[in-house]
Amino acid sequence: MAVLQVALPAPLRHYFDYLPPPNCDIDRLIPGVRLRVPFGSGHRVGMLMSVTDKTELAREQLKWVSAVVDDEPLLSAPHLAFLKWAGDYYHHPIGETVFACLPSLLRKGRPARQRREIRWRLSPEGCHIKPDSLRRAPRQVGLLEFLRQYPEGVTRKQLSELGWGWRTAIRALMDRGWVDTYEYAGTSQGGRGQREPALALNVAQEQAVSAICSSLGTFQPFLLDGVTGSGKTEVYLQVIDRVIREGKQALVLIPEIGLTPQAVDRFRRRFAVPIAVVHSALSDQERLNAWLMARDGSASIVIGTRSAVWTPLRYPGAIIVDEEHDLSYKQHEGFRYSARDLAVVRAQRAKIPVLLGTATPSLESLYNVDLGRYRHLILPERAGDAASPKIEVLDMRRRPMHAALSVTLLEAIRTNLNQGRQVLLFLNRRGFAPAMLCHHCGWVAGCKRCDVHVTYHKERDLLVCHHCGADRRPETSCPSCGGCDLIAVGHGTERLAQLLEDLFPQNRVVRIDRDSTRRKRAMQEMLDTIQSGSAGILIGTQMLAKGHHFPNVTLVGVVDADSGLFGADFRSSERMAQLVMQVAGRAGRAKRPGTVFIQTHHPDHHLLRSLIEHGYGRFAREALVERREAKLPPYTRLTLLRADAHSQGATYNFLSEARIEALKLAKGGIDVFGPVRAPIERRAGRYRGQLLIQAHSRNLLQRMLNPWVHQVENLKTARKVRWSLDVDPQEML
Ligand code: ADP
Ligand code: ZN
Ligand code: ZN
């Protein structure tokens, strides 16, 4: 008797057993095919994981599979094994793991087939048309401008969203031969026209490329540690070139595509091969097309964010993780995986090299270098003739200030602007002011559902909770004393932008944060404004720190470095150092050297000092010593059990019972801490608590977690809470 073990998208940590459909050809039942099965009162799509002859159920309890969806397995055996490994490691239900990694059309049981759609794009001739020559046809000009933004062409849907008579205009442009149509398959063939040639590598780059290329075909992780502008991307490109020449595929993970469209363009300009770009703006069909082209081997390069780590590859050649320290590689809800860590595991299973690139390595990766697991490749200098920026600390204690800015920084801004240069100010706090308080009694406006202060957003005239998203109009009088003198205290990006507009009215200020870039295309428009030089001052949150290249920026100001030095999380100082270095890296990347000013009230803080005087590498060494002494990662392994509920009691009953079970399993080398409240205890009306498991080694931890998760799952108190397990948590919130 054949029993089919099926993974179903359900929050349960086991397979479901079914019988093959009557008169089904058993040979078709290969693990990796999707099955439609009866489940509850309806049907679900599941994934066949294995075929056995054993089951714990009585035969009459077993149901028949209703249909076999795929003729061929959707996923190869090695890929299926990788998913299984990931589900086991993160202790995430296997069905949810498998299905989280599939494009949504496949989750719904749709056929694994590419459907191409027609797109309109500029013809090579159309790319060179000057809008002036069309002055009497404003719609055609508008359309040309629109198409120019999309080298891969636009869909009918995008055109109809323009909302005006696009049909006539596009027909006219097609008649002139400036626009043509083609079938888009979810990948681009690279841009049109001339390919950009490879650059002549400098010595350090050359050594890196040859080290990586000589380990093609074997597993070897590399930490490519190079300051911003040192030519890491050029190293990636040349490694990929080799991979492609060998007929293999390269998988490239980047933190965020929307923020750095230039990065993807650089790959397109270099290679004439099909590139699958996987990002959130794709339609479901486009996503499926890209996934299939990767799986079938027809896309030579696959570029995507975190979730692209799951993309199956037929001919894996190398994996590249750009900005490996970036927090966005860790998924913070649901299936809490780390794409960076999985990339290494995947490379190991596929026996290929994996390249982790960054200017500010995570302490985890540096530790792996120390252990000899990763090879350290260093690019010590900026490529080309760009000089490194000079970093200076501005001691803010008892100094004259103008709102959030010291007079020294203000003077430097003025000087740079007078010389026609650009200035970048970094403040990792969006909104107008982080608090609103009563001048009479000190009452502070808080969120009604969370234990936090709300942020005042002046443009929208709203108090917004940055934790649960709740917003409301600001009170007109104090709810506590009735006084009418409510004041906004502190500085967010909105207020800083207003201040600088008032101080330097001749200069345009561009503010980049999550609020100002909410509209589609807003980010690109702002980047264009910056590149064109018409804005003198750029203000932004960490969004500005990522991968951009602002050649005319010669002054960078870090408005507030202190919040990172004393954050609640043990990783706060590491994050602060990474952000400061990343922001600093935006300055003076072209011919002119840059200066970076860091404002702080703690100029003598030892980590800040070592960062500024000796650079990130020395900072990281000292931070690692502190971690070792405190028995924190990477020297130990952590897992957080988080829980929340409408009542504090439910949360703590559950966590206390989970603790008892944990203590029974915790042998030497494992410590259980808590339960404790989460740093922000109440969020969106729910009480949050956590239990921390700390282990000396990954194996010890996994051996304890396996039985523990099942016990936790079966606790009666578990039904009254929402709980989740976070293996290798990146944030302790
Ligand atoms: P990173 O990825 O480390 O920030 P990039 O690869 O983007 O660095 O390189 C930064 C700048 O230096 C780019 O403008 C790039 O074209 C240039 N560059 C990189 N490698 C070289 C080289 N070997 N010779 C000349 N210029 C280079
Ligand atoms: Zn008051
Ligand atoms: Zn809230």
Short mmCIF file of all heavy atoms in Angstrom, two decimals, residues 373-414:
data_model
loop_
_atom_site.label_atom_id
_atom_site.label_comp_id
_atom_site.label_asym_id
_atom_site.label_seq_id
_atom_site.Cartn_x
_atom_site.Cartn_y
_atom_site.Cartn_z
N ARG A 373 36.00 29.53 8.63
CA ARG A 373 34.93 29.03 7.76
C ARG A 373 34.79 29.88 6.50
O ARG A 373 34.44 29.37 5.45
CB ARG A 373 33.60 29.08 8.51
CG ARG A 373 33.49 28.05 9.60
CD ARG A 373 32.06 28.03 10.12
NE ARG A 373 31.98 27.21 11.31
CZ ARG A 373 31.25 27.52 12.38
NH1 ARG A 373 30.53 28.63 12.37
NH2 ARG A 373 31.24 26.74 13.43
N TYR A 374 34.98 31.17 6.64
CA TYR A 374 34.87 32.07 5.49
C TYR A 374 36.27 32.58 5.13
O TYR A 374 37.08 32.82 6.02
CB TYR A 374 34.01 33.30 5.82
CG TYR A 374 32.56 33.05 6.09
CD1 TYR A 374 32.02 31.76 6.11
CD2 TYR A 374 31.70 34.12 6.33
CE1 TYR A 374 30.68 31.55 6.38
CE2 TYR A 374 30.36 33.92 6.60
CZ TYR A 374 29.85 32.63 6.63
OH TYR A 374 28.52 32.44 6.89
N ARG A 375 36.48 32.79 3.85
CA ARG A 375 37.73 33.43 3.46
C ARG A 375 37.51 34.93 3.36
O ARG A 375 36.52 35.38 2.81
CB ARG A 375 38.22 32.88 2.12
CG ARG A 375 38.96 31.57 2.32
CD ARG A 375 39.48 31.05 1.01
NE ARG A 375 40.51 31.91 0.44
CZ ARG A 375 41.03 31.70 -0.77
NH1 ARG A 375 40.62 30.66 -1.49
NH2 ARG A 375 41.96 32.49 -1.24
N HIS A 376 38.45 35.67 3.90
CA HIS A 376 38.32 37.11 3.97
C HIS A 376 39.02 37.75 2.78
O HIS A 376 40.23 37.62 2.63
CB HIS A 376 38.98 37.58 5.28
CG HIS A 376 38.50 38.91 5.74
ND1 HIS A 376 38.91 39.46 6.92
CD2 HIS A 376 37.62 39.78 5.23
CE1 HIS A 376 38.33 40.64 7.10
NE2 HIS A 376 37.53 40.86 6.08
N LEU A 377 38.27 38.42 1.93
CA LEU A 377 38.86 39.13 0.81
C LEU A 377 38.67 40.62 1.09
O LEU A 377 37.56 41.06 1.34
CB LEU A 377 38.16 38.76 -0.50
CG LEU A 377 38.10 37.27 -0.84
CD1 LEU A 377 37.20 37.04 -2.04
CD2 LEU A 377 39.51 36.74 -1.11
N ILE A 378 39.77 41.36 1.05
CA ILE A 378 39.67 42.76 1.43
C ILE A 378 39.98 43.67 0.25
O ILE A 378 40.97 43.47 -0.46
CB ILE A 378 40.64 43.07 2.60
CG1 ILE A 378 40.26 42.20 3.81
CG2 ILE A 378 40.60 44.54 2.98
CD1 ILE A 378 41.21 42.27 4.97
N LEU A 379 39.11 44.64 0.04
CA LEU A 379 39.40 45.70 -0.93
C LEU A 379 39.64 46.96 -0.11
O LEU A 379 38.71 47.59 0.36
CB LEU A 379 38.21 45.92 -1.89
CG LEU A 379 37.69 44.70 -2.66
CD1 LEU A 379 36.54 45.13 -3.59
CD2 LEU A 379 38.78 44.06 -3.48
N PRO A 380 40.89 47.30 0.13
CA PRO A 380 41.17 48.34 1.12
C PRO A 380 40.92 49.76 0.64
O PRO A 380 40.76 50.66 1.46
CB PRO A 380 42.66 48.13 1.44
CG PRO A 380 43.22 47.44 0.25
CD PRO A 380 42.12 46.71 -0.42
N GLU A 381 40.89 49.98 -0.66
CA GLU A 381 40.80 51.36 -1.12
C GLU A 381 39.69 51.57 -2.10
O GLU A 381 39.24 50.63 -2.75
CB GLU A 381 42.12 51.75 -1.81
CG GLU A 381 43.16 52.19 -0.83
CD GLU A 381 44.54 52.02 -1.43
OE1 GLU A 381 44.65 52.01 -2.67
OE2 GLU A 381 45.50 51.89 -0.64
N ARG A 382 39.30 52.81 -2.23
CA ARG A 382 38.31 53.13 -3.24
C ARG A 382 38.91 52.89 -4.63
O ARG A 382 40.08 53.17 -4.86
CB ARG A 382 37.87 54.57 -3.10
CG ARG A 382 37.01 54.74 -1.87
CD ARG A 382 36.32 56.07 -1.87
NE ARG A 382 35.22 56.04 -0.91
CZ ARG A 382 34.32 56.99 -0.81
NH1 ARG A 382 34.38 58.04 -1.60
NH2 ARG A 382 33.35 56.91 0.07
N ALA A 383 38.07 52.39 -5.50
CA ALA A 383 38.53 52.15 -6.87
C ALA A 383 38.63 53.47 -7.61
O ALA A 383 38.11 54.48 -7.16
CB ALA A 383 37.56 51.22 -7.58
N GLY A 384 39.27 53.45 -8.77
CA GLY A 384 39.40 54.67 -9.54
C GLY A 384 40.19 55.68 -8.74
O GLY A 384 41.07 55.32 -7.96
N ASP A 385 39.82 56.98 -8.85
CA ASP A 385 40.63 57.97 -8.15
C ASP A 385 39.84 58.69 -7.06
O ASP A 385 40.16 59.80 -6.68
CB ASP A 385 41.20 58.99 -9.15
CG ASP A 385 40.16 59.41 -10.16
OD1 ASP A 385 38.98 59.08 -9.93
OD2 ASP A 385 40.53 60.05 -11.15
N ALA A 386 38.78 58.05 -6.54
CA ALA A 386 38.03 58.69 -5.47
C ALA A 386 38.77 58.51 -4.15
O ALA A 386 39.27 57.45 -3.84
CB ALA A 386 36.64 58.08 -5.38
N ALA A 387 38.83 59.61 -3.37
CA ALA A 387 39.50 59.54 -2.08
C ALA A 387 38.48 59.18 -1.00
O ALA A 387 37.29 59.40 -1.16
CB ALA A 387 40.15 60.88 -1.76
N SER A 388 38.98 58.62 0.11
CA SER A 388 38.07 58.28 1.20
C SER A 388 37.70 59.54 1.98
O SER A 388 38.50 60.46 2.10
CB SER A 388 38.73 57.28 2.14
OG SER A 388 38.83 56.05 1.48
N PRO A 389 36.49 59.57 2.56
CA PRO A 389 36.09 60.78 3.28
C PRO A 389 36.79 60.89 4.63
O PRO A 389 37.26 59.91 5.19
CB PRO A 389 34.58 60.56 3.49
CG PRO A 389 34.40 59.08 3.46
CD PRO A 389 35.45 58.54 2.53
N LYS A 390 36.87 62.12 5.11
CA LYS A 390 37.46 62.38 6.42
C LYS A 390 36.31 62.41 7.43
O LYS A 390 35.30 63.07 7.20
CB LYS A 390 38.14 63.75 6.34
CG LYS A 390 39.07 64.05 7.46
CD LYS A 390 39.99 65.22 7.06
CE LYS A 390 39.41 66.52 7.54
NZ LYS A 390 39.05 67.58 6.75
N ILE A 391 36.46 61.69 8.54
CA ILE A 391 35.37 61.64 9.51
C ILE A 391 35.76 62.41 10.77
O ILE A 391 36.86 62.24 11.29
CB ILE A 391 35.04 60.18 9.89
CG1 ILE A 391 34.68 59.39 8.62
CG2 ILE A 391 33.89 60.13 10.88
CD1 ILE A 391 34.23 57.97 8.88
N GLU A 392 34.87 63.29 11.24
CA GLU A 392 35.16 64.07 12.44
C GLU A 392 34.00 64.01 13.41
O GLU A 392 32.84 64.06 12.99
CB GLU A 392 35.37 65.54 12.07
CG GLU A 392 36.79 65.84 11.66
CD GLU A 392 36.94 67.30 11.31
OE1 GLU A 392 36.42 68.16 12.05
OE2 GLU A 392 37.57 67.57 10.27
N VAL A 393 34.34 63.95 14.69
CA VAL A 393 33.30 63.96 15.71
C VAL A 393 33.03 65.39 16.14
O VAL A 393 33.96 66.16 16.35
CB VAL A 393 33.76 63.13 16.93
CG1 VAL A 393 32.81 63.37 18.09
CG2 VAL A 393 33.79 61.67 16.58
N LEU A 394 31.75 65.76 16.23
CA LEU A 394 31.40 67.07 16.75
C LEU A 394 30.85 66.89 18.16
O LEU A 394 29.77 66.36 18.35
CB LEU A 394 30.32 67.72 15.88
CG LEU A 394 30.76 68.21 14.51
CD1 LEU A 394 29.60 68.88 13.81
CD2 LEU A 394 31.92 69.20 14.65
N ASP A 395 31.64 67.30 19.12
CA ASP A 395 31.21 67.22 20.52
C ASP A 395 30.12 68.27 20.74
O ASP A 395 30.35 69.45 20.61
CB ASP A 395 32.43 67.51 21.40
CG ASP A 395 32.09 67.40 22.87
OD1 ASP A 395 30.90 67.22 23.19
OD2 ASP A 395 33.02 67.49 23.69
N MET A 396 28.92 67.81 21.07
CA MET A 396 27.79 68.72 21.14
C MET A 396 27.61 69.32 22.53
O MET A 396 26.76 70.17 22.74
CB MET A 396 26.50 67.96 20.79
CG MET A 396 26.57 67.24 19.47
SD MET A 396 26.16 68.35 18.15
CE MET A 396 24.39 68.34 18.31
N ARG A 397 28.40 68.82 23.50
CA ARG A 397 28.16 69.27 24.87
C ARG A 397 28.45 70.76 25.03
O ARG A 397 29.52 71.23 24.64
CB ARG A 397 29.03 68.47 25.84
CG ARG A 397 28.58 67.02 25.97
CD ARG A 397 29.57 66.22 26.74
NE ARG A 397 30.88 66.24 26.08
CZ ARG A 397 31.93 65.58 26.55
NH1 ARG A 397 31.84 64.89 27.65
NH2 ARG A 397 33.07 65.63 25.89
N ARG A 398 27.50 71.47 25.53
CA ARG A 398 27.63 72.90 25.84
C ARG A 398 28.05 73.73 24.63
O ARG A 398 28.70 74.75 24.76
CB ARG A 398 28.62 73.12 26.98
CG ARG A 398 28.19 72.46 28.29
CD ARG A 398 29.15 72.75 29.41
NE ARG A 398 30.50 72.25 29.16
CZ ARG A 398 30.87 71.01 29.45
NH1 ARG A 398 30.03 70.17 30.00
NH2 ARG A 398 32.10 70.61 29.19
N ARG A 399 27.74 73.25 23.44
CA ARG A 399 28.09 74.03 22.25
C ARG A 399 26.85 74.77 21.77
O ARG A 399 25.74 74.30 21.96
CB ARG A 399 28.55 73.11 21.12
CG ARG A 399 29.88 72.49 21.34
CD ARG A 399 30.98 73.55 21.31
NE ARG A 399 32.20 73.02 21.95
CZ ARG A 399 33.05 72.21 21.34
NH1 ARG A 399 32.84 71.85 20.10
NH2 ARG A 399 34.10 71.77 21.98
N PRO A 400 27.07 75.92 21.12
CA PRO A 400 25.89 76.62 20.58
C PRO A 400 25.21 75.76 19.52
O PRO A 400 25.86 75.16 18.68
CB PRO A 400 26.48 77.90 19.96
CG PRO A 400 27.95 77.68 19.88
CD PRO A 400 28.31 76.64 20.89
N MET A 401 23.89 75.70 19.63
CA MET A 401 23.12 74.86 18.72
C MET A 401 22.09 75.70 18.00
O MET A 401 21.56 76.66 18.54
CB MET A 401 22.36 73.79 19.51
CG MET A 401 23.21 72.81 20.24
SD MET A 401 23.79 71.55 19.13
CE MET A 401 22.26 70.69 18.79
N HIS A 402 21.79 75.29 16.81
CA HIS A 402 20.66 75.87 16.12
C HIS A 402 19.69 74.72 15.87
O HIS A 402 19.91 73.92 14.99
CB HIS A 402 21.11 76.50 14.81
CG HIS A 402 20.09 77.41 14.24
ND1 HIS A 402 20.16 78.77 14.35
CD2 HIS A 402 18.94 77.15 13.58
CE1 HIS A 402 19.10 79.31 13.77
NE2 HIS A 402 18.35 78.35 13.30
N ALA A 403 18.68 74.62 16.73
CA ALA A 403 17.80 73.46 16.72
C ALA A 403 18.65 72.19 16.81
O ALA A 403 19.47 72.08 17.69
CB ALA A 403 16.89 73.45 15.49
N ALA A 404 18.53 71.25 15.86
CA ALA A 404 19.26 69.99 15.99
C ALA A 404 20.69 70.08 15.48
O ALA A 404 21.43 69.11 15.53
CB ALA A 404 18.51 68.89 15.25
N LEU A 405 21.07 71.24 14.96
CA LEU A 405 22.38 71.32 14.29
C LEU A 405 23.35 72.20 15.06
O LEU A 405 22.99 73.30 15.50
CB LEU A 405 22.20 71.88 12.88
CG LEU A 405 21.26 71.07 11.98
CD1 LEU A 405 21.06 71.78 10.65
CD2 LEU A 405 21.79 69.67 11.77
N SER A 406 24.57 71.73 15.19
CA SER A 406 25.58 72.56 15.84
C SER A 406 26.01 73.64 14.86
O SER A 406 25.88 73.49 13.65
CB SER A 406 26.78 71.71 16.24
OG SER A 406 27.41 71.23 15.07
N VAL A 407 26.53 74.71 15.42
CA VAL A 407 26.93 75.83 14.59
C VAL A 407 28.05 75.41 13.63
O VAL A 407 28.09 75.82 12.47
CB VAL A 407 27.34 77.01 15.49
CG1 VAL A 407 27.99 78.11 14.67
CG2 VAL A 407 26.12 77.54 16.23
N THR A 408 28.93 74.54 14.10
CA THR A 408 30.02 74.06 13.24
C THR A 408 29.47 73.37 11.99
O THR A 408 29.90 73.62 10.87
CB THR A 408 30.90 73.04 14.00
OG1 THR A 408 31.05 73.49 15.33
CG2 THR A 408 32.23 72.86 13.32
N LEU A 409 28.49 72.49 12.21
CA LEU A 409 27.92 71.77 11.08
C LEU A 409 27.20 72.74 10.14
O LEU A 409 27.34 72.66 8.92
CB LEU A 409 26.96 70.68 11.58
CG LEU A 409 26.27 69.82 10.51
CD1 LEU A 409 27.27 69.19 9.57
CD2 LEU A 409 25.43 68.72 11.18
N LEU A 410 26.47 73.70 10.74
CA LEU A 410 25.77 74.68 9.92
C LEU A 410 26.73 75.46 9.03
O LEU A 410 26.46 75.69 7.85
CB LEU A 410 25.02 75.67 10.82
CG LEU A 410 23.56 75.34 11.09
CD1 LEU A 410 22.94 76.41 11.97
CD2 LEU A 410 22.79 75.23 9.77
N GLU A 411 27.86 75.86 9.62
CA GLU A 411 28.84 76.62 8.84
C GLU A 411 29.39 75.77 7.69
O GLU A 411 29.56 76.24 6.57
CB GLU A 411 29.99 77.11 9.73
CG GLU A 411 29.66 78.38 10.49
CD GLU A 411 28.92 79.40 9.62
OE1 GLU A 411 29.46 79.77 8.54
OE2 GLU A 411 27.78 79.79 9.97
N ALA A 412 29.64 74.50 7.99
CA ALA A 412 30.16 73.61 6.95
C ALA A 412 29.12 73.45 5.84
O ALA A 412 29.47 73.43 4.65
CB ALA A 412 30.50 72.25 7.55
N ILE A 413 27.85 73.38 6.21
CA ILE A 413 26.80 73.26 5.20
C ILE A 413 26.82 74.50 4.30
O ILE A 413 26.82 74.40 3.07
CB ILE A 413 25.40 73.12 5.87
CG1 ILE A 413 25.31 71.79 6.64
CG2 ILE A 413 24.29 73.22 4.83
CD1 ILE A 413 24.03 71.63 7.46
N ARG A 414 26.90 75.65 4.95
CA ARG A 414 26.89 76.90 4.19
C ARG A 414 28.07 76.95 3.21
O ARG A 414 27.89 77.25 2.03
CB ARG A 414 26.96 78.09 5.16
CG ARG A 414 26.64 79.44 4.52
CD ARG A 414 26.77 80.59 5.53
NE ARG A 414 26.04 80.39 6.78
CZ ARG A 414 24.73 80.58 6.92
NH1 ARG A 414 24.01 80.99 5.92
NH2 ARG A 414 24.15 80.36 8.08
#
